[in-house]
Amino acid sequence: MANSGSNPERFQATLWQLFFSSEGSERGRVARYLAWYLLGLQDFQGLRQIFAQLHNADGDEWLAFYQGVYEGLRGKYDAGLSELERANAITPRWQTLYDMGVLELKNGSAHQAEEDFNKADSQLTSDDASKVKSPERAAILASLSEALESEGNTEAAKRELLYARDMDPGNLRVNLLLRKLDS
């Protein structure tokens, strides 16, 4: 894989080659990295190919997670939520809860989004005490404020944003949302 890092097409081709030549758990590990790479490129055709190849891997949390993100990026929020819920049932993670909240907010379910953002926040801080004041938590609180605002609770939304700004003062999204609420 020498020199493939400086050439994205070669890197992608090498990952595909590794994927098709590997077997068992090694194939799953390569597929996970390849899927992450393809998500970044929004190569939906490539993702569909991975999903088709690994369709029998029901117990793989990462596969359900990626399928949920993929469906969400395509605007299929209900399908995305279903996959993310499946991923969260296999292995609960704050990131999965956060992404569920994002899709619910896009789907017009602000109350459910608020619940999932709160669960994500709770799980993040209980799993790792060093994350109590972190950029990850600031991102969760910014999304929570959007859910609160869309429910008409502007004061609570502003409170969450001020707390998020305390954690991550340079967060552009937080500062833009605060300006929006102030105007």
Side-chain angles (χ1 to χ4, degrees):
M1 202 151 72
N3 297 330
S4 64
S6 61
N7 183 332
E9 290 82 16
R10 182 177 283 163
F11 181 69
Q12 185 174 353
T14 303
L15 284 175
W16 277 113
Q17 185 178 17
L18 283 170
F19 174 71
F20 284 115
S21 66
S22 59
E23 296 178 4
S25 65
E26 182 66 24
R27 186 172 209 199
R29 190 171 23 182
V30 173
R32 185 176 184 170
Y33 291 110
L34 177 57
W36 184 253
Y37 188 73
L38 296 175
L39 264 175
L41 296 175
Q42 291 195 8
D43 180 351
F44 296 150
Q45 182 178 355
L47 283 167
R48 283 191 300 273
Q49 188 170 0
I50 289 175
F51 298 154
Q53 293 284 322
L54 300 175
H55 68 281
N56 291 327
D58 283 336
D60 284 337
E61 172 263 337
W62 71 267
L63 187 57
F65 177 80
Y66 286 167
Q67 286 177 316
V69 172
Y70 161 76
E71 295 295 349
L73 287 171
R74 292 180 52 221
K76 310 241 179 211
Y77 304 130
D78 289 333
L81 280 167
S82 176
E83 290 298 324
L84 289 173
E85 287 167 356
R86 190 166 65 91
N88 198 54
I90 296 168
T91 306
R93 297 184 195 278
W94 72 265
Q95 297 95 331
T96 307
L97 289 164
Y98 175 80
D99 286 341
M100 287 168 58
V102 168
L103 292 186
E104 288 158 348
L105 197 54
K106 288 182 179 286
N107 209 23
S109 302
H111 182 71
Q112 187 60 46
E114 179 187 347
E115 285 182 23
D116 282 332
F117 291 138
N118 279 320
K119 287 179 191 174
D121 182 45
S122 177
Q123 190 168 3
L124 172 69
T125 55
S126 68
D127 288 349
D128 187 351
S130 70
K131 299 290 185 182
V132 170
K133 286 191 108 179
S134 65
E136 294 92 343
R137 188 162 187 222
I140 293 171
L141 295 179
S143 294
L144 174 60
S145 77
E146 287 182 300
L148 290 166
E149 181 192 15
S150 68
E151 291 180 307
N153 194 344
T154 343
E155 288 304 312
K158 188 170 183 174
R159 183 178 60 247
E160 296 297 337
L161 285 171
L162 290 170
Y163 194 39
R165 186 177 63 186
D166 235 16
M167 288 177 215
D168 191 7
N171 187 314
L172 181 62
R173 179 173 170 226
V174 168
N175 289 317
L176 288 173
L177 288 171
L178 268 171
R179 284 189 194 159
K180 178 184 166 192
L181 283 180
D182 284 338
S183 63

